[in-house]
Amino acid sequence: MKVLLINGSPHKEGCTFTALSEIKDQLEKEGIDSEIFWIGNKPVRGCIACGKCGELEKCAFDDDVANEIIDKILESDGLIIGSPVYYAGPNGALCAILDRVFYSASSKFSFKPGASVVSCRRGGSTASFDRLNKYFTISNMPLVASKYWNMVHGNSPEEVKQDLEGLHTMRTLARNMAWLLKSIEGKDLPEQEEKVFTNFIR
């Protein structure tokens, strides 16, 4: 089994990476393979609602990491998304990518356990955490919890390493992810009804 950990920070090995690394190390102790994938710091596109993904089953724009992330999620059994906190929200580049990833391919992500992790200096963590979790809860993906909200505090990797409660939360999240993956392995998935779309004006 494998868990994909997405590093949604513009810094490859900063605070978000430090939190995800704590999770990765614990996952490996639980016998779960994992990969930290960095979104990079190059310009990315936002969704333009062109609808082409309905035909292509991937994003029409193929000049950034969005479609690569789709492939990696499909190859994984679980997903953890990490982000720094900017103005009480996740990194805008990460959200631009995730909007396209989930809009074009989330129907294929059903029943893959998901979790989010945020890193902040001081505040805005719970709003960011809530924003990221919405990608899972709208996509039929079981949400993996920990003993506290999945956040670490610090202005540098060294400070994050001093956040003992935050690191404990990361390790607990990893153990819970491993437990859920092992619990559902080989189990039949729930029967699904065809999705119904309604608009409020008709």
Side-chain angles (χ1 to χ4, degrees):
M1 288 180 285
K2 180 179 179 180
V3 174
L4 175 66
L5 300 101
I6 296 177
N7 177 4
S9 171
H11 301 288
K12 188 173 185 179
E13 296 185 352
C15 298
T16 302
F17 173 82
T18 304
L20 294 175
S21 296
E22 192 76 9
I23 296 170
K24 179 178 172 62
D25 290 346
Q26 188 64 46
L27 283 171
E28 292 179 356
K29 290 178 183 177
E30 301 290 331
I32 305 293
D33 191 20
S34 60
E35 173 191 359
I36 297 177
F37 178 82
W38 180 47
I39 66 167
N41 51 22
K42 296 179 180 178
V44 298
R45 294 177 180 268
C47 180
I48 62 168
C50 67
K52 286 292 183 182
C53 57
E55 304 169 22
L56 302 173
E57 297 187 345
K58 65 177 186 176
C59 184
F61 295 123
D62 207 15
D63 54 358
D64 59 27
V65 296
N67 287 325
E68 184 179 359
I69 288 175
I70 290 172
D71 291 339
K72 286 184 174 292
I73 294 174
L74 294 176
E75 294 166 1
S76 301
D77 301 290
L79 174 63
I80 297 176
I81 300 172
S83 178
V85 173
Y86 298 150
Y87 291 94
N91 176 14
L94 172 65
C95 289
I97 292 168
L98 293 178
D99 284 352
R100 291 163 49 217
V101 165
F102 277 82
Y103 191 73
S104 60
S106 64
S107 62
K108 301 176 183 178
F109 302 161
S110 291
F111 304 107
K112 291 180 184 286
S116 61
V117 168
V118 295
S119 169
C120 67
R121 182 190 66 83
R122 186 172 178 86
S125 54
T126 54
S128 302
F129 179 60
D130 180 61
R131 170 73 170 85
L132 291 174
N133 283 338
K134 285 180 168 56
Y135 288 107
F136 309 122
T137 57
I138 201 173
S139 302
N140 216 19
M141 300 173 70
L143 195 61
V144 182
S146 186
K147 288 188 174 179
Y148 196 70
W149 296 301
N150 303 334
M151 64 181 76
V152 294
H153 289 81
N155 206 36
S156 67
E158 293 71 30
E159 289 182 0
V160 169
K161 291 175 183 177
Q162 298 175 54
D163 180 8
L164 299 184
E165 183 175 0
L167 296 179
H168 169 71
T169 302
M170 298 302 108
R171 292 191 300 272
T172 302
L173 173 62
R175 284 192 290 268
N176 291 348
M177 172 65 82
W179 173 82
L180 183 56
L181 287 173
K182 293 172 184 177
S183 296
I184 64 178
E185 185 181 21
K187 299 290 193 304
D188 292 332
L189 299 178
E191 184 179 343
Q192 299 297 296
E193 296 182 25
E194 186 175 345
K195 190 167 183 177
V196 177
F197 289 93
T198 59
N199 294 324
F200 289 113
I201 60 170
R202 49 174 192 252

